[in-house]
Amino acid sequence: MPSPSRGAPALTWEIEDGIAVVVLDCKDQPVNTISRAVKDEFRACFETLANDPSVQAMAFFSGKPENFIAGADIEEFVKLTSAAEAERLSADGQDMLDQVARFPKPVAAGIQGACLGGGFEFALACRYRVASNHPKTQIGLPEIQLGILPGAGGCQRLPRLVGARAALDMILAGKAERAEKAFRLGMVDELVPPSILRSITIAAARRMAGGWRPKRRRVGGFFGWLLDGNPLGRMLVFRAARKQLEEKTGGHYPAPFAALEAVEYGLRHGMLEGFKREAQLFGQLAVTDVSRKLVQIFFATNALKKDRGVDGAPAPVAVQRLGIVGSGFMGSGIAGTAVAQATVDVRMKDSDLTRVAGGLRAAQAILDDRLKRRRITKYEHVRLVALLSGGDSFAGFSRAELTIEAVFEEVAVKQQVLREFEAATPDGAVFASNTSTIPITSIAEAARVPERVIGMHFFSPVAKMPLLEVIPGERTAPGVVSTAVAFGRRMGKTVIVVKDTPGFWVNRILAPYANEIGHLLAEGASIETIDGMAVRFGFPVGPVTLLDEVGLDVAEKVAHVMLAAYGDRLQPTAGVAALVKAGRLGRKSGRGFYEYSGGKKRGVDPSAYELLGVHPNGGPRPAEVLQRLVLGILNEAARAVGEGVVRSPRDGDIGAIFGFGFPPFRGGPLRHADDLGAARLVADLERLAERLGPRFAPCEVLQDLARRNAKFYP
């Protein structure tokens, strides 16, 4: 018979035939985290069980069905004020897990749900790991995404378990793996269905108590040994990893380099010395501005996950069936992503069946890619593909709780689709437009029930871009807003609710950034210089490449909408229009500013300069090129915030980071503006305006902040 339950509030245990079954459940919290109080409970628990002669082994579980341990308590982390304090925190975590690793009785961990950061470091300290194949089971070390490194032994234990290559692949990218891949990599010892996780973990603990020791085979065979199992091979691995980091980060993110050093140092000097170096590097990283900015983004995205979009909005409608009108690039992308992420029935419609067939193939390609990457099984693939269907009429749309149109970017076309939709569907269904610039209120003028019309602006390519702008029209019902926000999250998107104005948020603040390309080219700047300076600032790609990726025809339409709405300060140059007229639409047509072959960018197309009537002859200094590109974004972002386009600076920064890749380590355009200071921004903009014209005139919002010596963030 089990002994009576005992223990502290978070940790409880009972003894079953010599096996201590320990359960962690942080009460009144949605997930388990390792706080200072929980660490104290861990120490007390392990000390008690070590001294209990009736205990032969331990089996450790979470009391939460979809979460093992999400990691350390980030709230405590942000209170650190010095590198020394952060180093002590890391060393304290290492000491606690060393107590687990040196526990005199074998410990088996039964993992279901998120097992991340400090949670996985705890599991690594256990002698045996069993994971369930529950879809919520994710295992990894994401600390790099917060600008720090795994500081409780992860940089030492994981390389010794799975080899340097696999460990670096996970640590340096901050990746979390599904249970199936974690098992293949050797991160866990067994993979079982959720129904038997408890019994299998207890059985493993009992076998170890009887003297059994797990035998682990390193993944990769002889070739793996050549690279992971000897100093010369590891030197090659570390050299290649460092080169990749330099190319990927541009030197803006110190954490991956520090993590690489911690792994390399530990494998060269031994685990104890590795722990010390790991803690030192953690301490240095924890108080950097980069880490602070990334943690702010983490808190902001978490807060957005709990936001319904409108204060007091009713609970969202559960979308089980999705209609999509338009089976082109965007429509098929929305369809494939909705099936893959939200597992909903999707019905597509287009004007003829040939287009529908193409859209269904493109949507299925998203599922095919997931199968290829082993993110879904072949059985899941078959089941998900069966959720896709289509036709040339609205047949089946009457059963859809939500329909998204992704047709041509013309208000008349969208209004006609809306009329046809309303004629074929009941009044309770939601109609969403995927417009990138057209105000939703304008589209809804054609609606019989405008309360159910809303904007859902996805970004291209839908499967990869993480942002969704939800745009309520003047008469959109609050329940429709909460439904659109909730479904966007089910699709895996970070959702911001924005005001119904032309261009919304992302395209609005991008307009001056894109327009400045033409001015710079006309003054003799090269395409390579313009893109290169933006990448050096921290953008993933430069603005010229971005236009090619979006499509120059799309960019031209957006530019006309912005000009009509906001006047001469967003006046585009004729460059994009000239390329579009010549049939050069960017990547999708194989030629734009750049040439493309086999889906890859091959370099600048020299004939683009001829079509534009410009010649690269040096142009403005590179520093001025960058200043003009960035200040245009900051000025327009400040103006749009003043107009209430986003509900808060937080939403604006998240939109810019996830919508077009504003450098995360800079915190977003509004945090970056705060860092530079409004007075400096106003002075720089006034100098540019005096020389280049009123498009650089500082907006009233920045001028007011400068006068008051105030900031966007408190």
Side-chain angles (χ1 to χ4, degrees):
M1 291 290 291
S3 68
S5 293
R6 41 194 172 137
L11 277 169
T12 58
W13 64 89
E14 52 185 24
I15 300 170
E16 301 180 6
D17 298 326
I19 307 300
V21 179
V22 182
V23 176
L24 173 64
D25 190 353
C26 296
K27 301 294 190 293
D28 302 321
Q29 293 185 28
V31 298
N32 290 327
T33 57
I34 302 177
S35 63
R36 192 175 301 278
V38 170
K39 285 180 188 176
D40 292 339
E41 291 188 34
F42 263 101
R43 288 192 171 94
C45 169
F46 275 80
E47 185 176 345
T48 299
L49 295 177
N51 294 324
D52 189 336
S54 68
V55 174
Q56 300 170 0
M58 182 192 298
F60 189 96
F61 303 95
S62 166
K64 300 188 185 298
E66 296 185 353
N67 169 259
F68 182 68
I69 304 175
D73 187 341
I74 305 299
E75 295 283 357
E76 291 184 357
F77 168 69
V78 297
K79 295 176 183 176
L80 298 171
T81 58
S82 70
E85 190 179 356
E87 182 178 341
R88 286 194 297 272
L89 180 69
S90 173
D92 184 57
Q94 292 172 351
D95 288 343
M96 186 198 85
L97 295 187
D98 192 53
Q99 183 182 3
V100 176
R102 296 180 182 277
F103 194 62
K105 303 163 187 181
V107 182
I111 301 167
Q112 178 161 298
C115 177
L116 303 172
F120 184 42
E121 288 176 302
F122 165 77
L124 286 170
C126 296
R127 199 172 298 180
Y128 200 75
R129 290 160 292 280
V130 184
S132 86
N133 59 6
H134 189 283
K136 294 285 187 179
T137 301
Q138 298 275 328
I139 303 173
L141 297 170
E143 286 89 345
I144 291 293
Q145 296 179 21
L146 297 179
I148 52 177
L149 53 71
C155 293
Q156 310 308 316
R157 290 193 173 94
L158 186 59
R160 287 167 172 80
L161 180 67
V162 301
R165 286 176 305 149
L168 289 174
D169 184 48
M170 178 170 298
I171 293 170
L172 300 185
K175 290 197 298 187
E177 303 290 2
R178 293 184 63 177
E180 291 84 353
K181 185 169 183 181
F183 174 63
R184 289 198 305 272
L185 291 174
M187 295 160 59
V188 297
D189 299 293
E190 285 191 70
L191 183 67
V192 301
S195 59
I196 60 173
L197 176 66
R198 188 179 192 277
S199 59
I200 293 296
T201 305
I202 292 173
R206 183 165 284 116
R207 288 200 309 275
M208 290 189 293
W212 175 79
R213 294 290 179 269
K215 294 181 180 179
R216 298 185 175 95
R217 179 176 58 85
R218 175 163 288 173
V219 178
F222 179 70
F223 181 72
W225 176 85
L226 282 177
L227 290 177
D228 289 332
N230 69 90
L232 180 59
R234 288 196 295 267
M235 184 177 70
L236 297 175
V237 169
F238 295 136
R239 185 179 298 167
R242 188 167 285 105
K243 182 178 179 182
Q244 288 178 351
L245 286 179
E246 288 167 354
E247 293 173 355
K248 185 176 180 180
T249 69
H252 295 302
Y253 297 90
F257 294 95
L260 178 61
E261 180 184 342
V263 172
E264 185 175 10
Y265 194 91
L267 290 175
R268 182 176 296 168
H269 298 283
M271 185 172 280
L272 290 179
E273 290 300 314
F275 282 145
K276 292 179 183 177
R277 188 61 183 143
E278 179 180 290
Q280 290 168 353
L281 292 166
F282 179 92
Q284 294 168 14
L285 293 169
V287 292
T288 60
D289 183 65
V290 171
S291 179
R292 294 298 191 218
K293 292 288 197 305
L294 296 179
V295 169
Q296 287 161 353
I297 294 168
F298 171 81
F299 281 129
T301 52
N302 273 358
L304 281 168
K305 290 175 184 176
K306 305 168 188 173
D307 187 350
R308 285 188 176 177
V310 177
D311 291 338
V317 172
V319 175
Q320 315 231 342
R321 292 163 292 272
L322 175 69
I324 295 179
V325 184
S327 57
F329 184 68
M330 290 301 294
S332 60
I334 295 167
T337 306
V339 168
Q341 291 289 127
T343 321
V344 293
D345 277 295
V346 172
R347 181 77 177 171
M348 299 181 72
K349 178 197 176 300
D350 213 314
S351 56
D352 65 66
L353 292 177
T354 302
R355 290 179 179 172
V356 174
L360 291 172
R361 283 194 299 271
Q364 182 177 330
I366 294 172
L367 302 175
D368 295 344
D369 181 67
R370 294 199 167 213
L371 177 64
K372 181 180 177 182
R373 296 173 183 270
R374 297 185 175 182
R375 297 185 65 184
I376 56 175
T377 67
K378 60 182 180 181
Y379 305 107
E380 290 173 314
H381 179 265
V382 170
R383 179 174 64 87
L384 293 175
V385 168
L387 296 176
L388 288 165
S389 65
D392 58 359
S393 73
F394 278 99
F397 277 67
S398 62
R399 299 172 61 241
E401 296 87 359
L402 171 65
T403 290
I404 301 173
E405 68 80 7
V407 299
F408 197 62
E409 191 76 353
E410 292 283 356
V411 66
V413 177
K414 293 180 181 294
Q415 287 180 332
Q416 180 59 32
V417 169
L418 175 53
R419 292 188 192 98
E420 294 172 359
F421 165 81
E422 286 193 320
T425 58
D427 288 353
V430 175
F431 180 88
S433 173
N434 180 51
T435 178
S436 57
T437 54
I438 301 171
I440 302 304
T441 301
S442 299
I443 297 171
E445 288 174 357
R448 190 174 73 251
V449 188
E451 290 80 7
R452 69 179 182 179
V453 179
I454 195 166
M456 293 180 71
H457 177 211
F458 293 87
F459 292 78
S460 177
V462 179
K464 294 181 180 178
M465 293 298 288
L467 186 71
L468 170 66
E469 289 181 317
V470 168
I471 311 104
E474 285 182 4
R475 296 177 60 182
T476 303
V480 170
V481 179
S482 63
T483 296
V485 168
F487 187 69
R489 287 203 196 105
R490 280 179 61 197
M491 287 183 65
K493 303 303 179 186
T494 296
V495 183
I496 61 170
V497 177
V498 302
K499 187 177 178 180
D500 187 23
T501 57
F504 313 128
W505 171 252
V506 169
N507 282 329
R508 166 80 177 273
I509 66 174
L510 266 180
Y513 181 63
N515 289 350
E516 198 61 27
I517 295 170
H519 295 289
L520 291 166
L521 290 172
E523 295 173 39
S526 70
I527 292 170
E528 293 95 336
T529 296
I530 295 170
D531 270 359
M533 291 308 297
V535 170
R536 186 179 299 181
F537 180 74
F539 284 102
V541 297
V544 185
T545 298
L546 183 64
L547 286 181
D548 267 6
E549 294 287 345
V550 168
L552 300 184
D553 53 338
V554 175
E556 184 186 21
K557 282 191 171 296
V558 170
H560 285 308
V561 171
M562 303 304 283
L563 173 62
Y566 301 110
D568 289 347
R569 65 183 169 77
L570 293 185
Q571 170 78 52
T573 59
V576 170
L579 294 177
V580 172
K581 187 176 181 180
R584 302 164 69 117
L585 307 183
R587 179 184 287 275
K588 61 186 174 185
S589 68
R591 295 177 84 186
F593 289 97
Y594 290 91
E595 289 183 297
Y596 301 87
S597 176
K600 295 184 178 180
K601 185 168 71 173
R602 298 301 180 188
V604 171
D605 186 343
S607 64
Y609 290 116
E610 297 174 18
L611 284 168
L612 296 172
V614 300
H615 180 69
N617 57 10
R621 292 177 298 106
E624 182 184 319
V625 169
L626 179 59
Q627 184 186 48
R628 287 164 60 174
L629 290 172
V630 173
L631 290 192
I633 294 175
L634 303 190
N635 198 23
E636 197 63 33
R639 183 180 283 112
V641 165
E643 295 170 11
V645 175
V646 287
R647 296 173 299 165
S648 66
R650 175 203 72 181
D651 288 10
D653 281 337
I654 291 297
I657 290 166
F658 290 137
F660 64 91
F662 194 92
F665 69 92
R666 298 189 188 277
L670 302 169
R671 281 209 187 269
H672 187 52
D674 278 354
D675 288 345
L676 294 175
R680 173 182 167 183
L681 285 175
V682 167
D684 287 346
L685 285 164
E686 286 176 341
R687 280 193 290 271
L688 289 173
E690 185 178 347
R691 190 159 53 86
L692 300 170
R695 71 180 185 275
F696 282 108
C699 69
E700 179 56 36
V701 172
L702 284 178
Q703 293 184 56
D704 178 61
L705 290 176
R707 285 192 293 268
R708 296 187 291 111
N709 193 27
K711 296 185 174 185
F712 289 106
Y713 288 88

